[in-house]
Amino acid sequence: MKKRNLLLYLALIAGAVPTLLPFVWLIRSALMQDSQMFIAPPQWIPEPFQWSNFTEALTAQPFGRYFVNTVVIAVINVLGTVLTCSVAAFSFSRLRWRGRNVVFAVLLSSVMLPYAVTLIPTFVMWQELGALNSIIPLTLPSWFAGAGGGVFNVFLLRQFFLTIPFELDEAAYIDGASPWRVFWLIVMPLSKPAIIVVTIFTFIGVWNDFLGPLLYLNDEEKYTLSLGLASFQSIYITQWGYLMAASAAVIAPIIALFFFLQRYFIEGVTLTGIKN
Amino acid sequence: MAALSGQRRLERRWGYFMAVPAVLGFVIFTAGPMVASFVFSLTDWQIGGTPAFVGVDNYTALADDELFWKSLTATTYYTLGAVPLALIIAFAVAMLLNQRVRGLPVWRTIFYLPTLVPAIANVVLWIWIFNPDFGLLNSLLRQGGLPTGMWIYDEAMAVPSLIIMSTWGFGNTMVIFLAGLQGVPQHLYEAVSVDGGGPWHRFRHVTVPMMTPTIFYTLVVGVIGTFQVFSQAYVMTEGGPNNATLFYVYYLFRVAFRESEMGYASALAWVLFMIIMLVTFLLFRNARRWVYYEMAGAR
């Protein structure tokens, strides 16, 4: 038994080392002087710690601005997605109307759709509406139940709503409540875990999105972090200290968010997998 | 009776009303653009110009487009490497973590961490890892006295390099597998043990069959996602060297937004759509043979 355990932990360590190594490489490079970075065999402890990599990289381009831009887009998307997806999920789970299941199935089919198929007409539409180079194309769709891949959130919320006892609704209706009141005062307060999961995934989606900002944002002052980092990379192409410092700064908020909301992250990923 | 029908009416009215944003979203951002992109695909159209109807010319032109075939090959190669590799590693690690490991949350966090790295930060980090002179990989290989590689700068190594990079993010799949493994009913394992079956029997006749729905789900999602890989090609390799990493969506992007051939790019988009539909259909049809579904439960 002991021997088996030892093997088990050895195997786990063997997996964990290559998993963590890129992070170690990222951090040590972010804190290293160029001269030390090019020594062979590679050194692992920065000597001295070059904290100025961070200050210089993050001021060489307005990363603070990119950060604010990204957060603004993320907040608008989270609000829109949570609100409209919940409303739709409520309709699809707790209100009875003809054709409900057919409509839901059709909506859900769009989850499988490759985004490339809708990319060009959507771009042309925003162009015709004069919305290019603004955050409208990156935010407005979220106010229509996430639109496209975001429909998955409707599915997730619907699954969760179905676990809430229907007796609660019935009692409220007998007291003369409207469906909106039932939704807002009964179902939503009981669905916090699902709402947090949708919030996290929407937030990460915005943080990760590259193609969207690349297509729709032209002015540098409107860039998101992803777009800003890509443009930074193309300029400081061999300044590894700067590049790693900037990357670390883009990664850090997400990792911090993860450590605060770890339980919900894991729950959320698990929920998506249990789908089938 | 009158009260019930009043309630029904209320539900119906609000039901329609509350479904409106989702339905509108579907029409404006999914169904409409899909139809439009098909119509575009039948035209010769540059941004700013007027579309000219050309029938299926764009589709027949694809057959002679060397870059189209190149992009299809590169993307298929990438998918065939990245998806199975991630599944196998995720499954193996999930199996290890399912052995009543001490400090499970810590291990799970370690393996999950890479999936949190935003795509572009990930790309920038791996450009440095792949750097032939001072990057992590070659530094380690050199120290171990092993031959070094040119990684993303070598035509033959470029796609395998990107597969290695994508495998780093197996944590999502692992968490899904782990949840699946923890849901396998204990009594099934006990039944095998009672019948004198060893660990291999338990794995082969309980774990694997019970996990097939989860494996199937991650396989389908993995294939669809991987087929649409973009950022690596855009930032890391620009499709090179010698178009080795000219991934499909990157090629489509270039045709649409660099050469502004909207008609041709729309044909590319529709072909991608049909390929993904076909692959999904084949996966589902094939699934009947190996995916184990319990008797449909309560409902």
Side-chain angles (χ1 to χ4, degrees):
Chain A
M1 213 52 197
K2 274 270 182 282
K3 202 174 149 198
R4 191 176 149 270
N5 267 338
L6 186 68
L7 278 176
L8 176 65
Y9 286 104
L10 278 179
L12 280 174
I13 292 168
V17 168
T19 307
L20 289 179
L21 209 53
F23 285 112
V24 176
W25 185 251
L26 168 79
I27 294 163
R28 74 115 223 184
S29 306
L31 291 171
M32 222 175 236
Q33 281 181 334
D34 266 1
S35 52
Q36 196 190 0
M37 215 158 344
F38 300 139
I39 296 174
Q43 305 209 331
W44 291 93
I45 310 292
E47 186 71 56
F49 279 85
Q50 188 79 353
W51 294 102
S52 60
N53 279 346
F54 278 91
T55 47
E56 276 167 41
L58 297 183
T59 49
Q61 278 197 26
F63 276 98
R65 171 118 220 172
Y66 303 158
F67 178 84
V68 173
N69 293 342
T70 314
V71 170
V72 167
I73 296 175
V75 169
I76 299 175
N77 272 287
V78 165
L79 285 178
T81 306
V82 167
L83 214 64
T84 56
C85 289
S86 306
V87 165
F90 180 79
S91 173
F92 288 123
S93 61
R94 302 183 85 87
L95 298 175
R96 286 161 292 183
W97 45 280
R98 272 240 313 261
R100 185 183 79 173
N101 293 343
V102 177
V103 172
F104 181 63
V106 171
L107 289 193
L108 200 58
S109 71
S110 65
V111 170
M112 290 278 182
L113 195 77
Y115 67 83
V117 180
T118 55
L119 192 66
I120 293 168
T122 313
F123 178 84
V124 172
M125 178 179 78
W126 292 124
Q127 191 181 35
E128 293 295 313
L129 293 172
L132 296 189
N133 199 18
S134 81
I135 64 169
I136 294 171
L138 303 174
T139 50
L140 195 62
S142 73
W143 287 82
F144 292 86
V151 173
F152 189 71
N153 296 315
V154 179
F155 174 82
L156 219 74
L157 288 161
R158 179 179 168 273
Q159 292 297 94
F160 195 90
F161 289 175
L162 286 172
T163 64
I164 298 169
F166 280 82
E167 288 80 9
L168 294 175
D169 303 28
E170 280 155 27
Y173 287 132
I174 288 169
D175 289 346
S178 67
W180 178 264
R181 283 181 72 85
V182 172
F183 164 69
W184 194 247
L185 297 176
I186 296 174
V187 173
M188 285 301 265
L190 289 172
S191 304
K192 279 196 192 113
I195 293 169
I196 295 176
V197 167
V198 170
T199 301
I200 291 173
F201 282 150
T202 308
F203 190 85
I204 291 192
V206 171
W207 210 266
N208 261 329
D209 187 20
F210 175 62
L211 186 54
L214 177 67
L215 281 179
Y216 293 117
L217 304 176
N218 304 329
D219 293 347
E220 210 180 297
E221 77 225 38
K222 292 176 182 160
Y223 279 9
T224 60
L225 278 173
S226 279
L227 198 51
L229 183 59
S231 109
F232 185 75
Q233 191 272 334
S234 65
I235 299 167
Y236 296 86
I237 199 145
T238 54
Q239 304 270 46
W240 299 110
Y242 288 2
L243 285 174
M244 291 305 111
S247 301
V250 172
I251 298 169
I254 290 287
I255 304 249
L257 189 74
F258 172 76
F259 279 107
F260 278 115
L261 299 169
Q262 205 175 141
R263 187 163 71 87
Y264 296 103
F265 268 80
I266 302 295
E267 242 168 53
V269 179
T270 308
L271 267 175
T272 61
I274 286 170
K275 180 183 164 173
N276 277 334
Chain B
M1 203 59 205
L4 179 73
S5 73
Q7 169 65 20
R8 277 292 179 126
R9 243 198 326 270
L10 191 70
E11 279 192 35
R12 195 191 329 146
R13 204 177 322 128
W14 279 89
Y16 288 138
F17 179 62
M18 292 174 101
V20 164
V23 172
L24 268 183
F26 177 78
V27 172
I28 301 173
F29 296 108
T30 304
M34 264 196 75
V35 175
S37 106
F38 182 68
V39 175
F40 291 177
S41 77
L42 304 175
T43 65
D44 178 13
W45 181 30
Q46 278 86 18
I47 282 187
T50 25
F53 183 78
V54 294
V56 294
D57 280 8
N58 285 328
Y59 291 93
T60 47
L62 279 177
D64 298 322
D65 181 350
E66 212 179 297
L67 290 181
F68 162 72
W69 291 110
K70 192 109 195 183
S71 72
L72 204 53
T73 324
T75 314
T76 310
Y77 180 16
Y78 178 70
T79 305
L80 287 179
V83 175
L85 197 63
L87 285 195
I88 290 166
I89 293 179
F91 199 88
V93 174
M95 286 289 295
L96 290 177
L97 290 183
N98 198 35
Q99 311 292 315
R100 266 169 280 159
V101 168
R102 255 195 237 195
L104 174 65
V106 177
W107 291 109
R108 199 173 50 188
T109 301
I110 290 175
F111 292 116
Y112 187 70
L113 229 40
T115 63
L116 292 167
V117 177
I120 295 303
N122 197 23
V123 162
V124 175
L125 169 60
W126 281 84
I127 294 176
W128 178 217
I129 289 175
F130 285 134
N131 183 286
D133 299 318
F134 307 103
L136 173 64
L137 276 170
N138 275 359
S139 296
L140 290 179
L141 289 172
R142 217 172 279 130
Q143 253 189 315
L146 296 163
T148 58
M150 289 298 284
W151 306 106
I152 52 172
Y153 306 98
D154 174 350
E155 194 179 339
M157 276 300 289
V159 172
S161 302
L162 295 182
I163 291 172
I164 294 173
M165 172 181 154
S166 87
T167 307
W168 191 46
F170 71 89
N172 240 339
T173 315
M174 181 211 68
V175 171
I176 294 173
F177 281 156
L178 190 55
L181 287 171
Q182 288 172 345
V184 177
Q186 223 41 72
H187 67 86
L188 292 177
Y189 289 120
E190 282 153 20
V192 176
S193 298
V194 167
D195 291 344
W200 171 249
H201 278 87
R202 284 200 294 272
F203 176 72
R204 177 70 193 80
H205 297 291
V206 177
T207 310
V208 171
M210 292 304 285
M211 286 298 288
T212 45
T214 313
I215 297 172
F216 178 66
Y217 167 74
T218 49
L219 182 67
V220 171
V221 172
V223 168
I224 294 177
T226 311
F227 227 84
Q228 300 181 70
V229 51
F230 173 77
S231 326
Q232 289 89 317
Y234 183 85
V235 182
M236 275 182 119
T237 60
E238 291 173 16
N242 193 19
N243 294 322
T245 61
L246 186 76
F247 293 134
Y248 199 100
V249 174
Y250 175 66
Y251 179 50
L252 189 158
F253 173 87
R254 249 175 39 179
V255 173
F257 300 104
R258 294 285 178 266
E259 298 158 29
S260 81
E261 293 282 356
M262 291 309 205
Y264 193 61
S266 296
L268 277 170
W270 260 80
V271 169
L272 176 70
F273 173 56
M274 287 185 282
I275 291 171
I276 286 185
M277 286 294 117
L278 180 71
V279 171
T280 313
F281 170 76
L282 290 177
L283 283 173
F284 268 94
R285 209 182 59 169
N286 188 260
R288 278 191 229 138
R289 256 186 274 149
W290 62 273
V291 178
Y292 170 80
Y293 283 107
E294 261 182 299
M295 299 287 281
R299 293 199 159 210

